[in-house]
Amino acid sequence: MAMAFSLQFNNPISTFTCSNLYNGTRTQPFKFLCTSSPQSDSSNSKEEAIQDSSGENDKEYVILVEKYRSGTLKRYVIDNDSEMKMFLEEHVPTTSRSQDLDISGMELSWLPKVIKDFVLPSGFPDTVSDDYLDYMLLQFPTNVTGWICHTLVTSSLLKAVGVGSFSGTSAAASAAASAAAIRWVSKDGIGALGRFFIGGRFGNLFDDDPKQWRMYADFIGSAGSIFDLCTPLYPSYFLPLASLGNLAKAVARGLKDPSFRVIQNHFAIAGNLGDVAAKEEVWEVAAELLGLSLGILALDTPGISKSYPTLALTWLSVRILHLWFRYQSLSVLQFNTINLKRARILVNSHVLHCTVPGISECNRMESILLWERYLRPQIIFEISLEEMINGGKYRSTQIKQLLHMYKEEKYFLVVNQLMPTDFQVFVSFKEGATGLSVFRCVWQTYWLYQNWGWSVNIFDRLEQSLVELRDRFPDLLQQLTDAGWDTNNLSLKVPKKMSINELS
């Protein structure tokens, strides 16, 4: 819905009205303060700037600031008349002082931030070793030259199987061989785009739930094989069908490889990751040789080689068996780390029964295929205070009470009152929040979920949930430690797109 607000500038001071699209239910006007240069980090100077722009120096004060990755700041101001105001400040970072450009001694400073986030690991350079960037910069031309050689060799392979020849008398035959090689390599190139996208866009997901992504990799790979299976039916569309098949299988490989590296690292409890990976290669090659042998025997069977429907039905049967074996193999994995799915299982058991399941039992209970967003109760992370208070229609005094209530926590949590039939909580994290903060908010969510109807006053419920959290959470950690869970390295990531800085 359209929302009108006033936009105020400091240099020069001018005010005008415009409209903005907003998905919430708020109808009251906002005041937005926009500046064109970075402000001081001092809380006092920030507060004075807002007070001066509004002309109410003696009344208004900043209660908190929301910081967004883009550099935008949203300040929440309360005056003595109990009126809440929000000021949106757009920061334009300078090259000399921007932390985003400070990468490994200003290396790659010319590269836009969006590309850095795509090609470099999350948290770079603090999350990788010092030699990572030098290695990757040299690996890139190494791989380029390797694929050039692959392209040239592909032409030779096709000519060896009868698609043209080097010694042929016909120039047309030689050109046909080159064209076939180009089409074949183009098919591989289109498929490689899938791995490129998956690695850049979803690289930070595999550590949290490798079981799920490894299973999805097989589903997507199966879909790619269907395109390949259709090429005999539509030979004139070989290139698009084969390219789509390669694209799907490349996406599957982009999901499979990093997921399985996490699984391999789970196996290597003695720091012997190289040995584990090498022996896994032995198992895989042995399975490949046996599978190829059985596949050749199947192709040599007249019923399969001469009947496409029989071939397709055989493939479908074997593929379903393959997916079933994959699911069973992932089900036996027993991670002692706590991700969001396992945290839900552990917390729910502790809230209801004051006990926690063991590592083996919890991993069996974990749903491999179900997305976390579809689990209940639903937890929505990175919600601004504006959206939180709109859902509850809180008054200024209640907002102050909310801030006071969570002063000892590194997050804010409220129940979405706009969805009375479906329990849902909103969570936003303060600066300095850790995986333990995520774990605590999950515990509070489940306590509220199980005890939601005991009071009509939402603040009574929230306050009691925090009392229970602070009283019972240490017992949860102790039980987890006794059961062998790794509580020192929680696989619970704090979202980084937005953080909240409280001002005293």
Side-chain angles (χ1 to χ4, degrees):
M1 61 181 295
M3 178 184 70
F5 58 84
S6 297
L7 186 61
Q8 298 183 358
F9 292 89
N10 286 342
N11 294 312
I13 298 178
S14 60
T15 304
F16 58 90
T17 302
C18 58
S19 63
N20 184 30
L21 292 179
Y22 179 69
N23 294 326
T25 59
R26 177 176 297 275
T27 59
Q28 64 266 35
F30 291 94
K31 292 182 179 179
F32 284 78
L33 172 67
C34 296
T35 62
S36 58
S37 60
Q39 299 286 333
S40 168
D41 291 334
S42 170
S43 300
N44 293 333
S45 63
K46 292 176 181 177
E47 184 175 344
E48 290 172 1
I50 297 180
Q51 291 173 348
D52 292 341
S53 68
S54 62
E56 297 178 345
N57 302 20
D58 56 336
K59 293 184 178 181
E60 297 182 347
Y61 60 95
V62 182
I63 55 173
L64 59 83
V65 178
E66 287 179 354
K67 299 181 179 180
Y68 295 83
R69 193 177 348 187
S70 62
T72 301
L73 301 180
K74 184 186 289 185
R75 307 186 192 279
Y76 292 84
V77 180
I78 293 182
D79 58 23
N80 290 337
D81 296 328
S82 296
E83 180 183 356
M84 167 70 75
K85 298 180 181 178
M86 276 156 281
F87 293 84
L88 188 67
E89 182 176 341
E90 192 73 29
H91 275 230
V92 181
T94 58
T95 303
S96 60
R97 301 183 65 180
S98 172
Q99 294 182 353
D100 291 335
L101 300 180
D102 184 17
I103 293 184
S104 188
M106 297 303 293
E107 291 184 46
L108 299 181
S109 60
W110 50 271
L111 202 61
K113 184 178 184 301
V114 64
I115 299 181
K116 291 176 192 173
D117 292 340
F118 194 84
V119 302
L120 296 173
S122 178
F124 179 88
D126 298 330
T127 55
V128 294
S129 60
D130 295 337
D131 52 2
Y132 173 83
L133 184 58
D134 292 336
Y135 175 80
M136 297 308 298
L137 289 175
L138 290 172
Q139 271 290 98
F140 184 77
T142 303
N143 292 331
V144 169
T145 52
W147 281 104
I148 293 173
C149 294
H150 168 74
T151 304
L152 299 176
V153 168
T154 299
S155 176
S156 298
L157 289 173
L158 290 175
K159 290 175 181 178
V161 296
V163 185
S165 66
F166 289 108
S167 58
T169 57
S170 172
S174 180
S178 297
I182 292 173
R183 292 176 67 188
W184 192 268
V185 172
S186 298
K187 169 182 68 70
D188 293 339
I190 294 173
L193 291 175
R195 294 169 56 203
F196 178 77
F197 175 75
I198 291 296
R201 180 62 181 85
F202 301 106
N204 61 342
L205 298 178
F206 303 108
D207 293 314
D208 300 336
D209 201 349
K211 295 182 188 179
Q212 182 186 68
W213 295 112
R214 184 63 187 90
M215 192 70 228
Y216 284 155
D218 261 16
F219 283 129
I220 296 174
S222 300
S225 297
I226 293 176
F227 288 109
D228 293 342
L229 201 64
C230 290
T231 52
L233 299 177
Y234 307 98
S236 59
Y237 295 99
F238 170 81
L239 182 58
L241 287 174
S243 297
L244 286 173
N246 258 28
L247 179 62
K249 287 185 285 187
V251 169
R253 183 179 173 186
L255 295 174
K256 179 195 75 173
D257 289 349
S259 299
F260 191 67
R261 285 170 188 164
V262 177
I263 295 173
Q264 284 180 328
N265 191 62
H266 158 72
F267 293 144
I269 61 173
N272 55 337
L273 180 59
D275 190 20
V276 169
K279 294 304 182 288
E280 187 275 333
E281 191 76 11
V282 172
W283 284 75
E284 185 171 332
V285 171
E288 179 181 355
L289 294 174
L290 180 59
L292 289 174
S293 301
L294 294 176
I296 292 172
L297 289 176
L299 288 176
D300 199 39
T301 303
I304 295 178
S305 61
K306 296 182 179 181
S307 173
Y308 178 82
T310 304
L311 172 66
L313 184 60
T314 303
W315 173 86
L316 180 61
S317 303
V318 175
R319 196 66 188 182
I320 292 175
L321 186 62
H322 165 84
L323 292 173
W324 183 80
F325 277 126
R326 177 70 67 198
Y327 184 87
Q328 295 301 317
S329 66
L330 294 173
S331 298
V332 301
L333 292 175
Q334 298 182 15
F335 287 94
N336 69 337
T337 54
I338 301 174
N339 63 3
L340 197 52
K341 283 184 179 179
R342 292 189 283 274
R344 284 174 171 271
I345 297 171
L346 295 168
V347 162
N348 186 56
S349 176
H350 188 261
V351 169
L352 291 177
H353 310 296
C354 296
T355 59
V356 296
I359 295 174
S360 177
E361 182 183 357
C362 182
N363 277 269
R364 284 197 305 269
M365 296 169 64
E366 181 183 3
S367 174
I368 295 177
L369 298 179
L370 190 61
W371 288 67
E372 197 278 332
R373 69 177 64 179
Y374 298 114
L375 297 176
R376 294 293 182 268
Q378 190 175 17
I379 306 174
I380 309 297
F381 294 113
E382 290 195 297
I383 300 296
S384 68
L385 182 64
E386 178 185 350
E387 294 176 85
M388 287 184 176
I389 62 180
N390 281 344
K393 304 184 185 303
Y394 299 140
R395 296 187 300 272
S396 177
T397 53
Q398 292 175 316
I399 296 171
K400 293 178 182 179
Q401 183 181 353
L402 188 69
L403 300 181
H404 178 75
M405 191 182 304
Y406 285 98
K407 67 179 181 179
E408 296 182 10
E409 301 295 336
K410 285 295 185 179
Y411 65 88
F412 292 107
L413 183 150
V414 299
V415 178
N416 182 9
Q417 299 178 67
L418 296 179
M419 299 182 64
T421 59
D422 190 8
F423 188 88
Q424 183 185 78
V425 299
F426 291 154
V427 181
S428 283
F429 294 96
K430 304 177 186 178
E431 289 187 341
T434 63
L436 188 63
S437 308
V438 181
F439 205 9
R440 291 176 69 88
C441 82
V442 173
W443 196 99
Q444 184 186 2
T445 297
Y446 272 82
W447 190 93
L448 286 167
Y449 181 63
Q450 299 295 342
N451 299 274
W452 185 238
W454 67 270
S455 172
V456 296
N457 188 327
I458 185 174
F459 282 93
D460 287 345
R461 303 176 199 175
L462 291 176
E463 191 166 7
Q464 184 61 32
S465 69
L466 288 169
V467 171
E468 295 287 339
L469 170 67
R470 290 156 191 163
D471 181 52
R472 297 175 56 184
F473 194 78
D475 175 68
L476 169 64
L477 294 180
Q478 184 60 51
Q479 289 195 41
L480 293 174
T481 302
D482 295 342
W485 290 97
D486 185 0
T487 57
N488 295 320
N489 298 297
L490 299 174
S491 298
L492 300 169
K493 294 183 179 178
V494 180
K496 298 297 184 182
K497 292 182 180 179
M498 183 194 78
S499 63
I500 295 177
N501 181 25
E502 280 190 295
L503 303 179
S504 58

PDB file of all heavy atoms in Angstrom, residues 44-67:
ATOM      1  N   ASN A  44      26.259   9.678  20.861  1.00  0.00           N
ATOM      2  CA  ASN A  44      25.780  11.011  21.211  1.00  0.00           C
ATOM      3  C   ASN A  44      25.645  11.901  19.997  1.00  0.00           C
ATOM      4  O   ASN A  44      24.677  12.640  19.857  1.00  0.00           O
ATOM      5  CB  ASN A  44      26.726  11.655  22.223  1.00  0.00           C
ATOM      6  CG  ASN A  44      26.704  10.937  23.570  1.00  0.00           C
ATOM      7  OD1 ASN A  44      25.686  10.333  23.918  1.00  0.00           O
ATOM      8  ND2 ASN A  44      27.794  10.998  24.310  1.00  0.00           N
ATOM      9  N   SER A  45      26.650  11.852  19.085  1.00  0.00           N
ATOM     10  CA  SER A  45      26.582  12.697  17.900  1.00  0.00           C
ATOM     11  C   SER A  45      25.446  12.277  16.985  1.00  0.00           C
ATOM     12  O   SER A  45      24.809  13.105  16.344  1.00  0.00           O
ATOM     13  CB  SER A  45      27.911  12.657  17.146  1.00  0.00           C
ATOM     14  OG  SER A  45      28.171  11.353  16.684  1.00  0.00           O
ATOM     15  N   LYS A  46      25.187  10.959  16.896  1.00  0.00           N
ATOM     16  CA  LYS A  46      24.069  10.484  16.087  1.00  0.00           C
ATOM     17  C   LYS A  46      22.757  11.010  16.644  1.00  0.00           C
ATOM     18  O   LYS A  46      21.883  11.457  15.904  1.00  0.00           O
ATOM     19  CB  LYS A  46      24.048   8.949  16.064  1.00  0.00           C
ATOM     20  CG  LYS A  46      25.202   8.339  15.325  1.00  0.00           C
ATOM     21  CD  LYS A  46      25.145   6.836  15.435  1.00  0.00           C
ATOM     22  CE  LYS A  46      26.316   6.201  14.702  1.00  0.00           C
ATOM     23  NZ  LYS A  46      26.310   4.739  14.853  1.00  0.00           N
ATOM     24  N   GLU A  47      22.605  10.961  17.968  1.00  0.00           N
ATOM     25  CA  GLU A  47      21.364  11.408  18.571  1.00  0.00           C
ATOM     26  C   GLU A  47      21.173  12.897  18.365  1.00  0.00           C
ATOM     27  O   GLU A  47      20.079  13.363  18.063  1.00  0.00           O
ATOM     28  CB  GLU A  47      21.391  11.067  20.055  1.00  0.00           C
ATOM     29  CG  GLU A  47      20.092  11.398  20.782  1.00  0.00           C
ATOM     30  CD  GLU A  47      20.117  10.927  22.215  1.00  0.00           C
ATOM     31  OE1 GLU A  47      20.982  10.102  22.548  1.00  0.00           O
ATOM     32  OE2 GLU A  47      19.269  11.389  22.991  1.00  0.00           O
ATOM     33  N   GLU A  48      22.285  13.667  18.493  1.00  0.00           N
ATOM     34  CA  GLU A  48      22.187  15.106  18.312  1.00  0.00           C
ATOM     35  C   GLU A  48      21.798  15.465  16.891  1.00  0.00           C
ATOM     36  O   GLU A  48      21.043  16.407  16.658  1.00  0.00           O
ATOM     37  CB  GLU A  48      23.521  15.755  18.668  1.00  0.00           C
ATOM     38  CG  GLU A  48      23.825  15.698  20.175  1.00  0.00           C
ATOM     39  CD  GLU A  48      25.231  16.165  20.472  1.00  0.00           C
ATOM     40  OE1 GLU A  48      25.924  16.542  19.499  1.00  0.00           O
ATOM     41  OE2 GLU A  48      25.630  16.164  21.650  1.00  0.00           O
ATOM     42  N   ALA A  49      22.304  14.695  15.906  1.00  0.00           N
ATOM     43  CA  ALA A  49      21.977  14.985  14.510  1.00  0.00           C
ATOM     44  C   ALA A  49      20.494  14.840  14.261  1.00  0.00           C
ATOM     45  O   ALA A  49      19.879  15.654  13.567  1.00  0.00           O
ATOM     46  CB  ALA A  49      22.759  14.056  13.586  1.00  0.00           C
ATOM     47  N   ILE A  50      19.884  13.805  14.818  1.00  0.00           N
ATOM     48  CA  ILE A  50      18.441  13.602  14.637  1.00  0.00           C
ATOM     49  C   ILE A  50      17.656  14.658  15.384  1.00  0.00           C
ATOM     50  O   ILE A  50      16.669  15.184  14.888  1.00  0.00           O
ATOM     51  CB  ILE A  50      18.043  12.201  15.107  1.00  0.00           C
ATOM     52  CG1 ILE A  50      18.739  11.159  14.247  1.00  0.00           C
ATOM     53  CG2 ILE A  50      16.546  12.019  15.081  1.00  0.00           C
ATOM     54  CD1 ILE A  50      18.413   9.768  14.633  1.00  0.00           C
ATOM     55  N   GLN A  51      18.108  15.001  16.570  1.00  0.00           N
ATOM     56  CA  GLN A  51      17.403  16.013  17.338  1.00  0.00           C
ATOM     57  C   GLN A  51      17.425  17.359  16.623  1.00  0.00           C
ATOM     58  O   GLN A  51      16.431  18.073  16.565  1.00  0.00           O
ATOM     59  CB  GLN A  51      18.024  16.133  18.725  1.00  0.00           C
ATOM     60  CG  GLN A  51      17.768  14.901  19.599  1.00  0.00           C
ATOM     61  CD  GLN A  51      18.524  14.950  20.899  1.00  0.00           C
ATOM     62  OE1 GLN A  51      19.417  15.788  21.066  1.00  0.00           O
ATOM     63  NE2 GLN A  51      18.183  14.087  21.826  1.00  0.00           N
ATOM     64  N   ASP A  52      18.590  17.711  16.073  1.00  0.00           N
ATOM     65  CA  ASP A  52      18.690  18.979  15.375  1.00  0.00           C
ATOM     66  C   ASP A  52      17.804  19.014  14.151  1.00  0.00           C
ATOM     67  O   ASP A  52      17.213  20.036  13.815  1.00  0.00           O
ATOM     68  CB  ASP A  52      20.146  19.231  14.971  1.00  0.00           C
ATOM     69  CG  ASP A  52      21.027  19.464  16.194  1.00  0.00           C
ATOM     70  OD1 ASP A  52      20.458  19.784  17.263  1.00  0.00           O
ATOM     71  OD2 ASP A  52      22.260  19.309  16.069  1.00  0.00           O
ATOM     72  N   SER A  53      17.723  17.902  13.407  1.00  0.00           N
ATOM     73  CA  SER A  53      16.929  17.881  12.188  1.00  0.00           C
ATOM     74  C   SER A  53      15.444  17.976  12.481  1.00  0.00           C
ATOM     75  O   SER A  53      14.666  18.443  11.665  1.00  0.00           O
ATOM     76  CB  SER A  53      17.202  16.600  11.400  1.00  0.00           C
ATOM     77  OG  SER A  53      16.708  15.504  12.112  1.00  0.00           O
ATOM     78  N   SER A  54      15.007  17.531  13.656  1.00  0.00           N
ATOM     79  CA  SER A  54      13.594  17.550  13.965  1.00  0.00           C
ATOM     80  C   SER A  54      13.184  18.779  14.757  1.00  0.00           C
ATOM     81  O   SER A  54      12.009  19.064  14.911  1.00  0.00           O
ATOM     82  CB  SER A  54      13.221  16.293  14.762  1.00  0.00           C
ATOM     83  OG  SER A  54      13.924  16.300  15.979  1.00  0.00           O
ATOM     84  N   GLY A  55      14.179  19.520  15.308  1.00  0.00           N
ATOM     85  CA  GLY A  55      13.863  20.710  16.070  1.00  0.00           C
ATOM     86  C   GLY A  55      13.319  20.418  17.443  1.00  0.00           C
ATOM     87  O   GLY A  55      12.688  21.269  18.062  1.00  0.00           O
ATOM     88  N   GLU A  56      13.558  19.218  17.973  1.00  0.00           N
ATOM     89  CA  GLU A  56      13.043  18.841  19.275  1.00  0.00           C
ATOM     90  C   GLU A  56      14.172  18.293  20.138  1.00  0.00           C
ATOM     91  O   GLU A  56      14.135  17.177  20.629  1.00  0.00           O
ATOM     92  CB  GLU A  56      11.928  17.806  19.130  1.00  0.00           C
ATOM     93  CG  GLU A  56      10.726  18.318  18.379  1.00  0.00           C
ATOM     94  CD  GLU A  56       9.675  17.253  18.205  1.00  0.00           C
ATOM     95  OE1 GLU A  56      10.014  16.085  18.420  1.00  0.00           O
ATOM     96  OE2 GLU A  56       8.542  17.599  17.879  1.00  0.00           O
ATOM     97  N   ASN A  57      15.206  19.122  20.336  1.00  0.00           N
ATOM     98  CA  ASN A  57      16.420  18.673  21.009  1.00  0.00           C
ATOM     99  C   ASN A  57      16.160  18.205  22.433  1.00  0.00           C
ATOM    100  O   ASN A  57      16.814  17.304  22.933  1.00  0.00           O
ATOM    101  CB  ASN A  57      17.451  19.798  21.032  1.00  0.00           C
ATOM    102  CG  ASN A  57      17.779  20.282  19.636  1.00  0.00           C
ATOM    103  OD1 ASN A  57      16.999  20.053  18.703  1.00  0.00           O
ATOM    104  ND2 ASN A  57      18.901  20.941  19.488  1.00  0.00           N
ATOM    105  N   ASP A  58      15.171  18.812  23.080  1.00  0.00           N
ATOM    106  CA  ASP A  58      14.995  18.529  24.492  1.00  0.00           C
ATOM    107  C   ASP A  58      14.045  17.374  24.738  1.00  0.00           C
ATOM    108  O   ASP A  58      13.790  17.021  25.872  1.00  0.00           O
ATOM    109  CB  ASP A  58      14.463  19.778  25.191  1.00  0.00           C
ATOM    110  CG  ASP A  58      13.172  20.272  24.554  1.00  0.00           C
ATOM    111  OD1 ASP A  58      12.954  19.955  23.361  1.00  0.00           O
ATOM    112  OD2 ASP A  58      12.409  20.973  25.231  1.00  0.00           O
ATOM    113  N   LYS A  59      13.495  16.788  23.702  1.00  0.00           N
ATOM    114  CA  LYS A  59      12.493  15.755  23.898  1.00  0.00           C
ATOM    115  C   LYS A  59      12.892  14.404  23.324  1.00  0.00           C
ATOM    116  O   LYS A  59      12.670  13.379  23.935  1.00  0.00           O
ATOM    117  CB  LYS A  59      11.154  16.187  23.288  1.00  0.00           C
ATOM    118  CG  LYS A  59      10.496  17.366  23.997  1.00  0.00           C
ATOM    119  CD  LYS A  59       9.138  17.654  23.375  1.00  0.00           C
ATOM    120  CE  LYS A  59       8.444  18.792  24.108  1.00  0.00           C
ATOM    121  NZ  LYS A  59       7.105  19.060  23.523  1.00  0.00           N
ATOM    122  N   GLU A  60      13.463  14.373  22.137  1.00  0.00           N
ATOM    123  CA  GLU A  60      13.686  13.113  21.447  1.00  0.00           C
ATOM    124  C   GLU A  60      14.992  12.455  21.852  1.00  0.00           C
ATOM    125  O   GLU A  60      15.981  13.133  22.132  1.00  0.00           O
ATOM    126  CB  GLU A  60      13.667  13.337  19.933  1.00  0.00           C
ATOM    127  CG  GLU A  60      12.331  13.822  19.405  1.00  0.00           C
ATOM    128  CD  GLU A  60      12.346  13.977  17.908  1.00  0.00           C
ATOM    129  OE1 GLU A  60      13.450  13.953  17.331  1.00  0.00           O
ATOM    130  OE2 GLU A  60      11.275  14.127  17.301  1.00  0.00           O
ATOM    131  N   TYR A  61      14.992  11.134  21.885  1.00  0.00           N
ATOM    132  CA  TYR A  61      16.218  10.396  22.104  1.00  0.00           C
ATOM    133  C   TYR A  61      16.142   9.074  21.353  1.00  0.00           C
ATOM    134  O   TYR A  61      15.082   8.487  21.188  1.00  0.00           O
ATOM    135  CB  TYR A  61      16.482  10.159  23.590  1.00  0.00           C
ATOM    136  CG  TYR A  61      15.414   9.375  24.308  1.00  0.00           C
ATOM    137  CD1 TYR A  61      15.531   7.995  24.465  1.00  0.00           C
ATOM    138  CD2 TYR A  61      14.302  10.015  24.841  1.00  0.00           C
ATOM    139  CE1 TYR A  61      14.562   7.265  25.121  1.00  0.00           C
ATOM    140  CE2 TYR A  61      13.326   9.288  25.507  1.00  0.00           C
ATOM    141  CZ  TYR A  61      13.460   7.923  25.644  1.00  0.00           C
ATOM    142  OH  TYR A  61      12.494   7.203  26.298  1.00  0.00           O
ATOM    143  N   VAL A  62      17.314   8.611  20.892  1.00  0.00           N
ATOM    144  CA  VAL A  62      17.412   7.388  20.110  1.00  0.00           C
ATOM    145  C   VAL A  62      17.419   6.185  21.057  1.00  0.00           C
ATOM    146  O   VAL A  62      18.155   6.171  22.039  1.00  0.00           O
ATOM    147  CB  VAL A  62      18.686   7.385  19.245  1.00  0.00           C
ATOM    148  CG1 VAL A  62      18.757   6.125  18.397  1.00  0.00           C
ATOM    149  CG2 VAL A  62      18.733   8.620  18.366  1.00  0.00           C
ATOM    150  N   ILE A  63      16.578   5.186  20.750  1.00  0.00           N
ATOM    151  CA  ILE A  63      16.562   3.984  21.585  1.00  0.00           C
ATOM    152  C   ILE A  63      17.400   2.867  20.979  1.00  0.00           C
ATOM    153  O   ILE A  63      18.023   2.090  21.698  1.00  0.00           O
ATOM    154  CB  ILE A  63      15.122   3.507  21.836  1.00  0.00           C
ATOM    155  CG1 ILE A  63      14.384   3.291  20.508  1.00  0.00           C
ATOM    156  CG2 ILE A  63      14.378   4.481  22.715  1.00  0.00           C
ATOM    157  CD1 ILE A  63      13.017   2.649  20.689  1.00  0.00           C
ATOM    158  N   LEU A  64      17.410   2.758  19.644  1.00  0.00           N
ATOM    159  CA  LEU A  64      18.269   1.762  19.002  1.00  0.00           C
ATOM    160  C   LEU A  64      18.456   2.131  17.535  1.00  0.00           C
ATOM    161  O   LEU A  64      17.717   2.944  16.977  1.00  0.00           O
ATOM    162  CB  LEU A  64      17.711   0.338  19.148  1.00  0.00           C
ATOM    163  CG  LEU A  64      16.320   0.000  18.606  1.00  0.00           C
ATOM    164  CD1 LEU A  64      16.371  -0.313  17.125  1.00  0.00           C
ATOM    165  CD2 LEU A  64      15.757  -1.206  19.361  1.00  0.00           C
ATOM    166  N   VAL A  65      19.447   1.483  16.937  1.00  0.00           N
ATOM    167  CA  VAL A  65      19.776   1.711  15.530  1.00  0.00           C
ATOM    168  C   VAL A  65      19.861   0.365  14.840  1.00  0.00           C
ATOM    169  O   VAL A  65      20.543  -0.554  15.319  1.00  0.00           O
ATOM    170  CB  VAL A  65      21.120   2.464  15.375  1.00  0.00           C
ATOM    171  CG1 VAL A  65      21.469   2.634  13.900  1.00  0.00           C
ATOM    172  CG2 VAL A  65      21.060   3.817  16.057  1.00  0.00           C
ATOM    173  N   GLU A  66      19.170   0.209  13.716  1.00  0.00           N
ATOM    174  CA  GLU A  66      19.271  -0.988  12.883  1.00  0.00           C
ATOM    175  C   GLU A  66      20.251  -0.715  11.757  1.00  0.00           C
ATOM    176  O   GLU A  66      20.115   0.271  11.031  1.00  0.00           O
ATOM    177  CB  GLU A  66      17.908  -1.366  12.300  1.00  0.00           C
ATOM    178  CG  GLU A  66      16.962  -1.945  13.327  1.00  0.00           C
ATOM    179  CD  GLU A  66      15.606  -2.280  12.726  1.00  0.00           C
ATOM    180  OE1 GLU A  66      15.373  -1.951  11.539  1.00  0.00           O
ATOM    181  OE2 GLU A  66      14.793  -2.868  13.449  1.00  0.00           O
ATOM    182  N   LYS A  67      21.236  -1.582  11.627  1.00  0.00           N
ATOM    183  CA  LYS A  67      22.262  -1.429  10.600  1.00  0.00           C
ATOM    184  C   LYS A  67      22.068  -2.509   9.541  1.00  0.00           C
ATOM    185  O   LYS A  67      21.954  -3.693   9.864  1.00  0.00           O
ATOM    186  CB  LYS A  67      23.662  -1.553  11.213  1.00  0.00           C
ATOM    187  CG  LYS A  67      23.965  -0.485  12.261  1.00  0.00           C
ATOM    188  CD  LYS A  67      25.374  -0.638  12.804  1.00  0.00           C
ATOM    189  CE  LYS A  67      25.681   0.442  13.839  1.00  0.00           C
ATOM    190  NZ  LYS A  67      27.062   0.305  14.377  1.00  0.00           N
TER     191      LYS A  67
END
